[in-house]
Amino acid sequence: MSEISQLSPQPVWQFFDKICSIPHPSKHEEQLAQYIIGWAEGEGLEVERDDTGNVLIRKPATSGMENHKGVVLQAHIDMVPQKNEDTIHDFTKDPIRPYIDGEWVTAEGTTLGSDNGMGMAACLAVLADKDIAHGPLEVLLTIDEEAGMTGAFGLKANWLKGDILLNTDSEQEGEVYMGCAGGVDASLAFTVEKAELAEGYVAARLQVKGLKGGHSGCDIHTGRSNANKLVGRFLAAHVDELGLRLLGIGGGTLRNAIPREAFADVAVPTAQREKLETLFAEYLSVLNAELGAVETSLDLSVTDSNAPLIALSNSDQARIIATINACPNGVIRMSDDIEGVVETSLNLGVITTEGNTITLLCLIRSLTDTGRQSVESMLASLAELAGAASSFTGAYPAGNPMPTLK
Ligand SMILES: [Zn+2]
């Protein structure tokens, strides 16, 4: 046991300490699942598993509470395995080493796995408790939430008996979430033709950096800017006047992160090189005036580049620049039911150039399935106009909030 097992409330922290001691990265949950099953059976609780590997534990209502609605407490078993560069750690074999650092509990050199270990610990502490009065109780522990949600997708149908499900995997202490955004990954792929430019061009890299970024769900309404969109806007405005040719373009790393950085590799006639720099500097002034209240560290630069002078055809670059510039991004609609909550949004998260393929990746979220479908339809139309191949994958449904519970 580590020092965290002495923290209060002790039953929760003792379970969490035990969870830390048993490896449980995504796709390797079995050891911890077996421990929990063994513990629950030892307590005389009813334990079931489905074919996917999810664990369900049932605890009967306490005396006099039998007619209450059943409650399901849900957590996921797996954790995100990340470690510092200089830490030697095998997440499938080595225990997490938690310790107390001032006001926080953290882990030596690795992620702690409090997501969702603390939720799991809280569920198990309720099961272990002999004093709490409750109706029929179920604890559902799903696998693989962090790496594909195969546990939730494969959940056995009609398995749960309870009417009310409390998920323990939210972000903020002391807050309860109702409902959940659904989502879908959207991809717009362009096949392009490239050819070597004639003499007289010089290559440069346009770079947008220093944006705040953030989570495409939690931060999409905060006015933070999207680096991919900023690059697209500049190109759309100045491509003709500069005689600019696009060599490649890229930005962002994840669909669900607001991109903080993006670049365009371009070529301009040598005589226009200085003008490119001037226009990009002017663009920075415009952006600082527009966005400076939120984006306080915008960094735009033009640097020399020795990228090969192999450019997209004029028509290909035109449709790609237009698509990035026209692509909807950010909040599409706020919720009518809950003030300040976003109903539908999307994030143009990633742009990549690989060989002759340029791909735009977006994540669409909505509290309603039809809201999500409306944005899918916009992107499908945009792709049709632009001659891109659109695909929508990994859709998961919305959990529409129900503010009143009967
Ligand atoms: Zn989680």
Side-chain angles (χ1 to χ4, degrees), residues 39-47 57-60 127-128:
W39 170 83
E41 286 174 347
E43 292 284 300
L45 299 167
E46 185 188 329
V47 186
I57 306 170
R58 293 201 175 90
K59 186 182 179 188
L127 290 177

Side-chain angles (χ1 to χ4, degrees), residues 76 115-116 145-146 169:
H76 62 82
D115 171 9
N116 193 199
E145 194 269 350
E146 304 286 3
D169 196 20

Side-chain angles (χ1 to χ4, degrees), residues 180-198:
C180 178
V184 67
D185 292 332
S187 156
L188 273 59
F190 296 84
T191 305
V192 297
E193 279 177 17
K194 288 179 174 176
E196 199 158 342
L197 291 172

Side-chain angles (χ1 to χ4, degrees), residues 197-274:
L197 291 172
E199 291 286 293
Y201 280 88
V202 55
R205 172 166 281 208
L206 305 176
Q207 187 120 35
V208 172
K209 292 199 293 192
L211 274 70
K212 284 219 165 76
H215 189 272
S216 75
C218 307
D219 300 311
I220 200 76
H221 61 300
T222 56
R224 298 186 188 185
S225 210
N226 178 313
N228 290 331
K229 292 289 293 179
L230 294 185
V231 167
R233 176 176 161 190
F234 178 83
L235 293 174
H238 300 294
V239 65
D240 290 341
E241 123 185 59
L242 288 166
L244 178 147
R245 300 297 301 270
L246 193 59
L247 309 177
I249 188 162
T253 52
L254 296 165
R255 290 169 206 258
N256 64 355
I258 298 172
R260 297 167 55 234
E261 299 188 0
F263 69 88
D265 285 328
V266 303
V268 288
T270 311
Q272 297 284 40
R273 176 64 175 78
E274 211 178 305

Side-chain angles (χ1 to χ4, degrees), residues 217-402:
C218 307
D219 300 311
I220 200 76
H221 61 300
T222 56
R224 298 186 188 185
S225 210
N226 178 313
N228 290 331
K229 292 289 293 179
L230 294 185
V231 167
R233 176 176 161 190
F234 178 83
L235 293 174
H238 300 294
V239 65
D240 290 341
E241 123 185 59
L242 288 166
L244 178 147
R245 300 297 301 270
L246 193 59
L247 309 177
I249 188 162
T253 52
L254 296 165
R255 290 169 206 258
N256 64 355
I258 298 172
R260 297 167 55 234
E261 299 188 0
F263 69 88
D265 285 328
V266 303
V268 288
T270 311
Q272 297 284 40
R273 176 64 175 78
E274 211 178 305
K275 189 169 181 190
L276 175 66
E277 198 134 349
T278 308
L279 289 173
F280 213 49
E282 283 173 14
Y283 186 47
L284 175 60
S285 308
V286 169
L287 295 181
N288 275 328
E290 262 180 36
L291 310 171
V294 176
E295 297 294 355
T296 48
S297 310
L298 272 175
D299 175 4
L300 270 62
S301 61
V302 183
T303 48
D304 291 331
S305 154
N306 43 24
L309 291 169
I310 299 170
L312 274 62
S313 71
N314 273 311
S315 62
D316 283 341
Q317 79 172 37
R319 63 199 179 100
I320 282 160
I321 292 168
T323 304
I324 296 168
N325 195 36
C327 186
N329 181 71
V331 175
I332 300 293
R333 196 169 195 282
M334 298 298 286
S335 168
D336 295 327
D337 295 323
I338 308 156
E339 206 182 318
V341 166
V342 178
E343 182 183 275
T344 304
S345 70
L346 80 161
N347 178 49
L348 174 50
V350 185
I351 299 176
T352 56
T353 302
E354 273 165 30
N356 287 335
T357 306
I358 293 182
T359 311
L360 278 52
L361 302 175
C362 298
L363 177 57
I364 306 170
R365 296 175 193 269
S366 181
L367 286 174
T368 68
D369 291 338
T370 56
R372 185 188 87 220
Q373 286 151 5
S374 77
V375 181
E376 277 186 35
S377 146
M378 284 185 213
L379 293 186
S381 295
L382 181 59
E384 196 179 320
L385 286 171
S390 61
S391 62
F392 301 90
T393 54
Y396 52 99
N400 215 348
M402 287 187 288

Side-chain angles (χ1 to χ4, degrees), residues 75-76 78-80 114-117 145-146 167-171:
H76 62 82
D78 58 313
M79 65 172 279
V80 177
S114 53
D115 171 9
N116 193 199
E145 194 269 350
E146 304 286 3
N167 166 284
T168 62
D169 196 20
S170 65
E171 303 270 333

Side-chain angles (χ1 to χ4, degrees), residues 2-23:
S2 80
E3 59 181 6
I4 68 165
S5 66
Q6 301 305 312
L7 291 169
S8 172
Q10 222 180 350
V12 175
W13 285 102
Q14 284 180 345
F15 274 116
F16 184 63
D17 192 32
K18 187 73 197 178
I19 288 166
C20 289
S21 74
I22 304 171

